[in-house]
Amino acid sequence: MIDVGVVMPVYKQKPAFLEAALNSVRRQSYRNFKLIIVIDGAPEMEPLVRQFLGGDCRAEVVSLAFNQGVAGALNTGFKHLQRFSDIKYWTWVSSDNIYYPSYLETLRGKLSKGPKELGLVYSSFQCIDDDGKPINSEQQLAAQRQYQSQAKDLLLDSSIIGVSFMYKARYAGLIDGYGLAPVEDYDYWLRLTEHCEIKYIPVELMDYRVDSAFSVSATLRSHEKHREWRYAYHLARHNARMRRGMAPLITILFPLKESGDEAVRRIENLYEQTFSNYLCYVLDLSADMRVTADLSRISHPVTDFKWFPNTGGTTALLHAAQMVQSPYSYVLGQQSFKDSMDLTVMFNQMEKAPASVLSDYYTDDHKQVNYRYTSEPNHKPRIQDELFRRQSLADYMKANFMTMSDPE
């Protein structure tokens, strides 16, 4: 009985990569599967696909008249799979990756033998270059396995599932299909896992071809495309937290008199942090809202602008600090985060710190995190680039307002 459904979207692809991908699927040790190949508005690819399939009766080719993108092609493919009521397990594969013979058998086995609430399983994978040579060393694979084995809750922070996966059709039926390009998979996992549990398999089951010519990752190399990807990545996490009723944990306050390359660089540096459960308020101190006009062009789902015309930065910060509702607040200064994990580290340290700690911050050499205490003098003269407890920031500013200088 055929109980596994596989979808492969195909747009433009190197013939050699396409042939290798299709052969790897056709040669699976588990043979009871249905393969739907969706030609996504690239009619020149259909003769190649049919040639490489060699008349395999398990495969069906669906051609779309125009390019609908990965999400549209996947939704078309899975809609075709819904015609087969016996198919219980779904996955999709790329037209340039190579899937080991045990790929389907291993993933299906874990799903079929697992508890009812288990809805998605995923595995490790090797990265290869265009010549098919492995990229990751054993040490790198070990680090990847550790990263992917994180708890389900941490899926909200990063896409730990990766590119090797299978899930139950019954749970897929509870959510809408794929969308939110170019983070279709990640957004899908966040929605799917609100209904089921997940399980990691710490073994490599496929080769992932990194940045091949026609891959999605290759299209994201430009700065503008990276911005689009980053916006969608943050939006997927923000939407998931909204659905789950999770309030922001940090409010970022960024006072600015003028916009320019440095302001853009600094706020984009914030957006690259792994920690994402925050609100960002840009405090626009310009007389003509120029800061708002310029920085709002860099889309971000949790950034808002507060206009404080003819107001000093310290006064604006004091007003804004008293509006904060999240447990922590952070005054963004001109000093960039040196590592993408900085905000995560500071947050985790504050969560463990005693109540006598007002805030924490990195030392100038970035070698350790220091603390500001309620009962001890502190030699840090400014409050920028420092993570405060919510009320501590407002109280500190009220007590020291007359001696504080405006942010640069």
Side-chain angles (χ1 to χ4, degrees):
M1 179 182 68
I2 294 175
D3 61 359
V4 173
V6 184
V7 174
M8 177 186 285
V10 176
Y11 181 44
K12 297 181 184 299
Q13 191 53 263
K14 289 184 177 181
F17 292 174
L18 176 61
E19 183 177 21
L22 281 171
N23 284 341
S24 71
V25 175
R26 293 176 59 211
R27 294 167 182 168
Q28 290 292 300
S29 58
Y30 187 80
R31 301 187 57 79
N32 297 326
F33 65 88
K34 182 70 176 179
L35 172 62
I36 307 291
I37 299 105
V38 182
I39 309 295
D40 189 18
E44 70 277 13
M45 301 303 298
E46 185 168 345
L48 282 174
V49 167
R50 294 191 181 280
Q51 174 188 335
F52 297 148
L53 285 174
D56 194 322
C57 62
R58 297 169 300 177
E60 180 180 335
V61 179
V62 178
S63 291
L64 301 179
F66 59 92
N67 179 247
Q68 297 184 17
V70 174
L74 289 175
N75 292 335
T76 297
F78 286 115
K79 185 176 181 179
H80 276 260
L81 283 178
Q82 289 173 354
R83 297 175 299 160
F84 305 94
S85 58
D86 290 334
I87 293 181
K88 300 177 182 178
Y89 312 110
W90 285 359
T91 187
W92 73 270
V93 296
S94 293
S95 60
D96 58 352
N97 296 333
I98 298 174
Y99 300 86
Y100 301 169
S102 61
Y103 178 80
L104 294 181
E105 184 175 10
T106 302
L107 294 173
R108 178 195 174 279
K110 291 294 182 182
L111 273 180
S112 63
K113 295 174 183 176
K116 181 180 179 181
E117 61 271 19
L118 177 63
L120 182 148
V121 295
Y122 61 105
S123 82
S124 181
F125 54 92
Q126 174 63 277
C127 292
I128 59 173
D129 62 19
D130 277 7
D131 296 323
K133 296 178 181 178
I135 294 175
N136 292 335
S137 66
E138 183 52 44
Q139 282 186 324
Q140 290 171 317
L141 287 174
Q144 177 177 284
R145 293 183 202 115
Q146 184 176 12
Y147 167 77
Q148 288 192 275
S149 64
Q150 295 179 89
K152 173 187 170 183
D153 290 347
L154 295 180
L155 183 61
L156 262 174
D157 296 318
S158 56
S159 186
I160 59 177
I161 290 173
V163 294
S164 175
F165 50 81
M166 184 179 288
Y167 48 99
K168 290 179 180 175
R170 65 181 297 267
Y171 287 115
L174 299 178
I175 65 173
D176 292 334
Y178 287 86
L180 195 57
V183 295
E184 299 92 346
D185 266 355
Y186 184 49
D187 174 63
Y188 193 88
W189 306 143
L190 288 172
R191 290 183 285 118
L192 185 74
T193 55
E194 290 169 5
H195 302 279
C196 65
E197 296 303 316
I198 67 176
K199 184 178 180 61
Y200 174 59
I201 307 170
V203 63
E204 290 71 50
L205 293 178
M206 59 163 289
D207 289 336
Y208 170 62
R209 205 178 297 273
V210 177
D211 288 343
S212 65
F214 299 109
S215 66
V216 173
S217 57
T219 68
L220 303 177
R221 290 173 183 163
S222 73
H223 187 55
E224 206 55 43
K225 288 296 183 181
H226 178 74
R227 280 181 174 178
E228 292 176 11
W229 170 86
R230 185 179 62 206
Y231 173 81
Y233 188 43
H234 279 282
L235 182 60
R237 293 181 286 186
H238 175 64
N239 287 344
R241 291 187 176 108
M242 292 286 287
R243 289 193 301 269
R244 303 174 194 192
M246 301 173 66
L249 294 171
I250 298 176
T251 300
I252 309 289
L253 304 176
F254 190 21
L256 280 174
K257 292 181 181 178
E258 57 185 42
S259 55
D261 291 344
E262 279 302 301
V264 170
R265 176 196 59 76
R266 185 65 184 98
I267 202 164
E268 291 208 84
N269 174 253
L270 166 67
Y271 296 163
E272 296 293 334
Q273 285 289 293
T274 56
F275 189 95
S276 63
N277 192 13
Y278 60 78
L279 292 175
C280 177
Y281 291 130
V282 175
L283 310 182
D284 183 351
L285 311 179
S286 66
D288 58 357
M289 297 188 73
R290 174 54 53 191
V291 169
T292 299
D294 289 345
L295 292 192
S296 60
R297 295 171 184 165
I298 309 169
S299 299
H300 194 68
V302 295
T303 292
D304 199 2
F305 296 84
K306 306 293 183 183
W307 190 32
F308 291 89
N310 304 313
T311 305
T314 301
T315 301
L317 275 173
L318 178 58
H319 285 299
Q322 295 176 88
M323 296 188 297
V324 171
Q325 298 296 313
S326 60
Y328 300 99
S329 55
Y330 187 93
V331 180
L332 199 68
Q334 297 305 313
Q335 183 65 44
S336 294
F337 292 111
K338 290 183 170 61
D339 188 273
S340 62
M341 290 289 292
D342 281 353
L343 200 53
T344 299
V345 171
M346 284 190 284
F347 172 78
N348 289 339
Q349 292 295 98
M350 284 300 293
E351 286 285 272
K352 296 183 291 184
S356 58
V357 171
L358 295 177
S359 65
D360 69 1
Y361 55 91
Y362 272 97
T363 55
D364 289 340
D365 60 9
H366 202 260
K367 290 184 177 179
Q368 66 181 39
V369 174
N370 274 0
Y371 299 98
R372 191 190 292 266
Y373 291 90
T374 56
S375 58
E376 297 179 14
N378 190 282
H379 300 293
K380 186 174 184 289
R382 305 175 70 85
I383 60 173
Q384 282 73 28
D385 307 312
E386 190 167 349
L387 184 64
F388 279 86
R389 298 190 194 278
R390 176 180 59 195
Q391 194 58 43
S392 296
L393 177 59
D395 291 346
Y396 180 86
M397 291 197 68
K398 289 177 184 177
N400 297 276
F401 181 79
M402 298 305 296
T403 60
M404 294 178 68
S405 58
D406 278 346
E408 295 179 356

